[in-house]
Amino acid sequence: MLTGYFLSNEAPVNKSKPTLFIFERADTFEKLFQPATTTSRKPTVPNFNKEMVVGIALPPTNKPPRLSVSKVFVQDSVLTVRYIRLADTTLTKNPQSFTSQPMLLLAIPKQNVLKTKLVENGKVVETRKKEVTE
């Protein structure tokens, strides 16, 4: 898990459903995720020589859920990222006075994948084919 980052305002986020990000290079990662300056801890820096980064961003909300990764695996050149989204019952009755962007960032060993599936609470919410860059 990577900590200490926030999502850029320019990030192409789906307004009504989770957004999946896959980063294999530092320059593309740094365009969308910046180190948070409000925390006392330094952000976890991924090693793009050995790792790739998977990011999941949910639509902004004043009732952010609890997110946790349940399983990440590659099978038949398909990377599957499963995560659990639970409503935070303490915020259901007393929402925050501001909106926040719930997200998960994790570094995994570099993989050669053709497709990535994002699975939330057992349901596929996004499937993305690898973009071929020349």
Side-chain angles (χ1 to χ4, degrees), residues 90-110:
T90 60
L91 294 174
T92 305
K93 295 178 181 150
N94 302 313
Q96 298 175 151
S97 59
F98 56 91
T99 60
S100 61
Q101 185 93 47
M103 64 179 197
L104 282 173
L105 273 177
L106 56 138
I108 62 172
K110 270 203 172 173

Side-chain angles (χ1 to χ4, degrees), residues 18 81-83 117-126:
V81 180
R82 293 173 152 284
Y83 72 98
K117 279 195 318 192
L118 183 61
V119 180
E120 176 184 283
N121 296 353
K123 180 181 164 199
V124 176
V125 290
E126 186 175 351

Side-chain angles (χ1 to χ4, degrees), residues 56 68-75 79-84 106 108 117-119:
I56 303 164
S68 63
V69 175
S70 63
K71 195 175 197 180
V72 178
F73 62 95
V74 176
Q75 184 176 358
L79 171 65
T80 302
V81 180
R82 293 173 152 284
Y83 72 98
I84 298 169
L106 56 138
I108 62 172
K117 279 195 318 192
L118 183 61
V119 180

